[in-house]
Amino acid sequence: MNVSIIGSGNVATQLGKALYQSKIEINAVWSRNPAHALTLAQQINSKTVASLDEISNSTSEIVIIAVKDDAIKTLVEQLKNYKGIVVHVSGAMPMDILSVCSKIGVFYPIQTFSKDRDINFKNVPICLEANSSETFKFLNELAVLLTSKVYEVNSEQRKILHLAAVFACNFPNYLYDIAGDILSKHQLDFEIIRPLIRETAEKVQKANPKEMQTGPAIRKDMNTMQAHESLLANHPEWQKLYRLMSTVIAKENKD
Amino acid sequence: MNVSIIGSGNVATQLGKALYQSKIEINAVWSRNPAHALTLAQQINSKTVASLDEISNSTSEIVIIAVKDDAIKTLVEQLKNYKGIVVHVSGAMPMDILSVCSKIGVFYPIQTFSKDRDINFKNVPICLEANSSETFKFLNELAVLLTSKVYEVNSEQRKILHLAAVFACNFPNYLYDIAGDILSKHQLDFEIIRPLIRETAEKVQKANPKEMQTGPAIRKDMNTMQAHESLLANHPEWQKLYRLMSTVIAKENKD
């Protein structure tokens, strides 16, 4: 297989590295930022190209567009003469955004990526969609080289998955951040709650989170909740968040 | 060392098992629910007692009260003739709630416990407080048998830690639960986002969550946020939570 990558951000970098480690040839990397493209290309034994025309005219069997959602449409228009498969990696965008090309699909890895933190793709679910069974077959062959978890997911379902991922990843990370800020304001180290964060995530790897809920809200421990709200008096947004979270959690417990 | 345990819930069970595995003798278990006390006692080679007087008159060097916060005060009054050390394990309660006894302290493990999920205590931070250096020394000797992470934390700091733990554990778990509900309403399996949950927690084991924030809110991706809010139209509380979380996250990004 012979792949080209458009983009040089978190997803492009981690996906590019994973493809490279799976012995897949990366023909070229293009990015709006040539320096970033070069950094990525050097890590995956590839080269950068100066224009998307070079990718259009290349022998790549597939072009993976891994850029911000609002840049996809403009970029794919520059690939309209390309004869291979074009996919994007976005959870939020429909496949049809690529329809200026004829062989299109989506290659959506459900994971949180950072440039500096390498991911073991073996455990990353990859959600595939394609506009023909032939293209789907190709995407599936590519995906199984990276992971054992391949799902077929249409554009509507993918939007739901992306929404769930915001609740499962982006929001929890921000709560970790608030926890860290609360601690540091009182000269306490974030390190002290890291094992708790890890265990909270580990607990739901086999169980259902509904059965794992602990804390003052599910116990309807009003004294503790009121004390906590008082401690947050100088941070109205955190207080509002505390109150809203606690209210919805307490409703779960119909005791 | 010779310990007695009051309580038979999640913390009592996991702490009791950890003490037992560390070769500490558990003299007796008492719980308001005798059947639960028996279940715990049988797991830790101990016995149950019918009344707290038996614990007061026992040779235990320390009694660990691991019950709901609002039950501590009533229980400790029944131990006022006991000559050993009395501790509670609560994040929210001050040490002074035990002051009817003379040798008092707090033995607060920062972790989320379930009866059915055994915890490796080696990685559990234990926060200690005592009303004398002698008692502190005893608690420290006990704690280091269980974990390498022992902290001295006063009652004010412990309240802060407990508050931070709510943000780092209880709230994220509830967000996992919402994510699971969103998926199941659309015939998608929670399994598909478990690797994401794990990686989100793993990322902050070395890094600062502020540097790890990803998702539509930190990117100020208004289109995606609006689309997500529309998908939540039938769940006003989830929608409200989505909006509040996104608003506070977007404020972090001053781009």
Side-chain angles (χ1 to χ4, degrees):
Chain A
M1 288 191 187
N2 184 329
V3 178
S4 283
I5 294 174
I6 295 179
S8 58
N10 298 344
V11 182
T13 299
Q14 292 302 331
L15 186 55
K17 284 184 179 183
L19 291 166
Y20 173 62
Q21 281 156 19
S22 300
K23 318 284 184 206
I24 293 157
E25 192 185 333
I26 319 292
N27 183 52
V29 177
W30 180 91
S31 166
R32 161 181 79 140
N33 182 322
H36 291 173
L38 186 60
T39 302
L40 174 54
Q42 284 171 341
Q43 291 177 82
I44 58 180
N45 193 30
S46 186
K47 64 178 192 293
T48 63
V49 287
S51 82
L52 290 173
D53 283 348
E54 290 183 59
I55 286 183
S56 272
N57 300 325
S58 75
T59 58
S60 292
E61 293 164 275
I62 177 169
V63 174
I64 298 174
I65 302 179
V67 299
K68 284 193 180 175
D69 287 354
D70 56 13
I72 298 174
K73 206 171 163 61
T74 316
L75 287 174
V76 75
E77 276 162 14
Q78 298 174 60
L79 295 171
K80 62 176 185 284
N81 297 321
Y82 173 62
K83 300 298 175 212
I85 296 168
V86 178
V87 296
H88 70 64
V89 299
S90 164
M93 290 289 118
M95 177 173 67
D96 286 349
I97 197 174
L98 306 175
S99 57
V100 66
C101 293
S102 58
K103 298 179 189 170
I104 61 176
V106 179
F107 198 92
Y108 171 48
I110 307 187
Q111 192 47 282
T112 169
F113 296 101
S114 303
K115 277 192 189 180
D116 298 337
R117 183 177 159 86
D118 287 355
I119 288 278
N120 180 355
F121 254 80
K122 296 244 177 306
N123 298 315
V124 176
I126 296 181
C127 300
L128 301 180
E129 184 179 10
N131 71 339
S132 76
S133 56
E134 196 186 359
T135 297
F136 187 87
K137 190 163 165 273
F138 184 94
L139 296 182
N140 190 57
E141 281 168 14
L142 184 63
V144 296
L145 295 175
L146 301 180
T147 180
S148 58
K149 297 178 178 171
V150 181
Y151 297 85
E152 182 170 7
V153 165
N154 66 33
S155 290
E156 283 308 303
Q157 288 175 309
R158 196 169 54 251
K159 269 195 229 170
I160 296 296
L161 270 171
H162 188 240
L163 172 62
V166 170
F167 277 93
C169 163
N170 307 148
F171 291 171
N173 185 75
Y174 191 68
L175 295 173
Y176 305 158
D177 189 24
I178 294 177
D181 283 348
I182 290 171
L183 292 175
S184 76
K185 278 179 206 302
H186 292 84
Q187 290 74 51
L188 289 160
D189 196 332
F190 186 65
E191 181 61 25
I192 204 168
I193 58 164
R194 283 192 165 115
L196 174 64
I197 287 172
R198 175 177 270 162
E199 172 66 9
T200 304
E202 286 304 315
K203 271 177 121 170
V204 300
Q205 294 302 314
K206 298 218 168 120
N208 180 334
K210 227 174 276 298
E211 291 147 23
M212 292 296 138
Q213 190 65 46
T214 56
I218 195 77
R219 291 196 306 267
K220 296 195 176 176
D221 175 350
M222 295 300 173
N223 291 333
T224 298
M225 287 191 274
Q226 276 163 21
H228 284 172
E229 286 191 21
S230 304
L231 289 170
L232 295 170
N234 292 328
H235 297 275
E237 281 175 339
W238 296 351
Q239 195 183 49
K240 203 168 156 187
L241 200 50
Y242 186 97
R243 195 171 295 158
L244 181 56
M245 290 286 321
S246 297
T247 305
V248 291
I249 294 170
K251 274 194 195 168
E252 289 281 319
N253 180 351
K254 311 287 189 204
D255 279 357
Chain B
M1 290 193 187
N2 184 331
V3 178
S4 284
I5 295 175
I6 295 179
S8 58
N10 298 345
V11 182
T13 299
Q14 292 301 331
L15 186 55
K17 284 184 177 181
L19 291 166
Y20 173 63
Q21 280 156 19
S22 299
K23 319 282 184 208
I24 293 158
E25 193 186 333
I26 318 290
N27 183 52
V29 177
W30 181 90
S31 165
R32 152 182 86 136
N33 182 321
H36 290 174
L38 186 61
T39 302
L40 174 55
Q42 285 171 341
Q43 292 178 82
I44 58 179
N45 194 29
S46 185
K47 65 177 192 294
T48 63
V49 288
S51 83
L52 289 173
D53 283 348
E54 290 183 59
I55 285 183
S56 272
N57 299 325
S58 76
T59 58
S60 292
E61 292 164 274
I62 177 169
V63 174
I64 299 174
I65 302 179
V67 299
K68 282 192 180 178
D69 287 355
D70 55 13
I72 298 174
K73 207 173 163 58
T74 316
L75 287 173
V76 74
E77 275 161 14
Q78 298 174 61
L79 295 170
K80 63 174 185 281
N81 297 320
Y82 173 61
K83 301 297 176 213
I85 296 169
V86 179
V87 297
H88 70 65
V89 300
S90 162
M93 289 288 118
M95 176 173 68
D96 286 349
I97 196 174
L98 307 175
S99 56
V100 64
C101 293
S102 58
K103 297 179 190 170
I104 61 176
V106 179
F107 197 92
Y108 171 49
I110 308 187
Q111 193 47 281
T112 169
F113 296 101
S114 303
K115 277 192 189 180
D116 298 337
R117 183 177 159 87
D118 287 354
I119 287 279
N120 179 355
F121 254 80
K122 296 245 174 308
N123 298 315
V124 175
I126 296 181
C127 300
L128 302 180
E129 183 180 9
N131 72 339
S132 76
S133 55
E134 197 186 357
T135 297
F136 186 87
K137 190 162 165 277
F138 183 94
L139 297 182
N140 190 57
E141 281 166 15
L142 185 62
V144 297
L145 295 175
L146 301 180
T147 180
S148 58
K149 297 179 179 172
V150 182
Y151 296 85
E152 183 170 6
V153 166
N154 65 34
S155 290
E156 284 307 303
Q157 288 175 310
R158 196 170 53 253
K159 268 194 230 170
I160 296 297
L161 270 171
H162 188 240
L163 173 62
V166 171
F167 277 94
C169 163
N170 307 148
F171 291 171
N173 185 75
Y174 191 68
L175 295 173
Y176 304 158
D177 189 25
I178 294 177
D181 282 347
I182 290 170
L183 293 175
S184 75
K185 277 179 207 304
H186 293 83
Q187 290 74 51
L188 288 159
D189 195 332
F190 186 65
E191 181 62 23
I192 204 168
I193 57 163
R194 283 192 166 115
L196 175 64
I197 287 173
R198 174 178 270 161
E199 172 66 8
T200 304
E202 286 303 315
K203 271 177 122 172
V204 301
Q205 294 302 313
K206 297 221 167 115
N208 180 335
K210 227 174 275 299
E211 291 148 23
M212 291 296 137
Q213 190 65 47
T214 56
I218 195 77
R219 290 197 306 268
K220 298 197 174 175
D221 175 349
M222 295 299 172
N223 291 334
T224 299
M225 287 191 275
Q226 276 163 20
H228 284 172
E229 287 191 22
S230 305
L231 290 171
L232 295 170
N234 292 329
H235 297 276
E237 280 176 339
W238 296 352
Q239 196 183 49
K240 203 169 156 186
L241 199 51
Y242 186 96
R243 196 171 294 160
L244 181 56
M245 290 286 321
S246 297
T247 305
V248 291
I249 294 172
K251 274 194 194 168
E252 289 281 320
N253 180 351
K254 311 289 189 206
D255 280 356

